Amino acid sequence: MIDATPAARPRGARPDLSVVIPAFNEQARIEATLGKVCAFLKQRGLDAEVLVVDDGSTDRTAEVASRALRGRRGRVLRNEDNRGKGYAVRCGVREARGRWVLMSDSDLSTPIEEYERLAQAVREGNLDVAIGSRALAASRIEVHQHPLREWMGKTFNVLMRWLTGLPFRDTQCGFKLMDRERTLPLFEQMVVDGFAFDVELLFLCVRFGLRVGEVPVVWRNAPGSKVRLVSDPLAMLRDVVRVRWRWRRGAYRPQFPREPVVG
């Protein structure tokens, strides 16, 4: 993995928050996304850094992102090959220096302002992880996906809950706030590189006693989804089965810095 930010400045003090944005061929919108994210962080006075993980893009994503972050507290990390969203997020979490990590999709389908809902849920519920959800009664979908994509997403969630026993209505919303100290040992054990990495993360969070809360958010579908309608859902189901198989074999053995708290 390459740090693609030109003339990176000394790191300085540890920030409170790291915003991790995985990106693949996002040169058309990454500049606008970073402008919105950085403006929000500045307006709210948040002590935060922004990490863009360019997952082997074949366009100018890394160059555009580096230019957008110049003079701001942020970096671009570049994977030589396209490994998948899960792999990119793991890279970002490992490199993050914040006490908390916010994962956000590069299209900002969940507006960055929804961070405040997740942060409030963390404070009020003493959570280790807060996940944005499009499927709760209080969620607000302002722009819907194509009906076929919505149906496939709901079907995947039903199968996922049956296979894993997870209670969450929406594991795939790309907006999650995580205690880095508590979740990093899990990220170090994760193996799913593709879109089902969210399921692997939440499965391990629940199994190892981390407190997870599902929070209703605003969501607006953005064009240009990287999820392929046929092959990716099948690959996701295969990865969910793989996670279950690894769990039963005792393959997940995270080393926590302190005893996990069972909620």
Side-chain angles (χ1 to χ4, degrees):
M1 184 169 59
I2 301 170
D3 189 332
T5 307
R9 295 174 297 172
R11 293 192 171 190
R14 181 185 184 187
D16 293 331
L17 176 69
S18 295
V19 182
V20 172
I21 303 174
F24 175 65
N25 287 348
E26 292 287 355
Q27 70 173 27
R29 56 187 170 193
I30 193 65
E31 184 173 11
T33 290
L34 293 175
K36 292 176 182 177
V37 169
C38 292
F40 170 79
L41 297 174
K42 182 177 180 180
Q43 180 186 16
R44 297 299 192 274
L46 297 171
D47 179 18
E49 64 173 356
V50 179
L51 297 180
V52 176
V53 185
D54 177 13
D55 189 34
S57 295
T58 57
D59 64 3
R60 297 171 53 247
T61 295
E63 177 186 341
V64 174
S66 295
R67 185 175 64 241
L69 288 174
R70 189 170 290 125
R72 291 164 165 166
R73 194 174 191 181
R75 292 182 290 150
V76 177
L77 306 171
R78 190 169 193 278
N79 298 328
E80 291 287 0
D81 302 312
N82 177 233
R83 295 283 300 273
K85 184 180 179 181
Y87 182 83
V89 171
R90 288 204 304 274
C91 291
V93 172
R94 288 189 186 115
E95 291 294 319
R97 297 185 297 110
R99 175 70 175 80
W100 291 86
V101 174
L102 175 69
M103 181 187 83
S104 173
D105 286 339
S106 57
D107 60 11
L108 291 183
S109 292
T110 304
I112 187 63
E113 291 80 9
E114 295 299 278
Y115 160 78
E116 295 185 331
R117 287 197 190 194
L118 270 59
Q120 180 180 0
V122 163
R123 291 192 299 269
E124 294 179 353
N126 192 26
L127 303 176
D128 299 305
V129 179
I131 64 173
S133 177
R134 301 162 291 185
L136 299 176
S139 303
R140 193 166 83 244
I141 310 300
E142 296 185 345
V143 181
H144 284 263
Q145 293 176 293
H146 186 280
L148 179 58
R149 286 189 178 273
E150 285 198 359
W151 177 83
M152 293 183 69
K154 291 175 181 178
T155 301
F156 171 79
N157 189 261
V158 170
L159 292 172
M160 177 278 301
R161 293 172 73 180
W162 177 68
L163 288 168
T164 65
L166 290 176
F168 309 114
R169 299 288 301 276
D170 183 8
T171 60
Q172 301 310 114
C173 179
F175 203 72
K176 295 177 172 66
L177 181 62
M178 303 167 283
D179 182 329
R180 183 178 181 275
E181 182 180 277
R182 302 284 283 137
T183 56
L184 182 60
L186 303 182
F187 276 99
E188 297 287 5
Q189 295 284 302
M190 290 168 60
V191 297
V192 175
D193 290 344
F195 292 108
F197 83 96
D198 303 79
V199 177
E200 183 180 29
L201 172 62
L202 295 174
F203 181 84
L204 295 180
C205 284
V206 170
R207 290 303 187 276
F208 287 102
L210 276 66
R211 295 190 179 97
V212 182
E214 190 171 9
V215 183
V217 294
V218 173
W219 194 79
R220 306 166 187 144
N221 181 57
S225 172
K226 301 299 192 298
V227 180
R228 295 164 294 188
L229 278 175
V230 178
S231 59
D232 283 334
L234 292 175
M236 290 167 70
L237 286 174
R238 180 197 65 211
D239 282 335
V240 172
V241 172
R242 179 188 178 198
V243 168
R244 285 287 305 177
W245 178 73
R246 285 177 52 81
W247 172 259
R248 290 180 177 178
R249 290 180 59 245
Y252 294 110
R253 298 176 181 175
Q255 299 297 314
F256 290 94
R258 61 179 186 272
E259 196 68 20
V261 178
V262 179

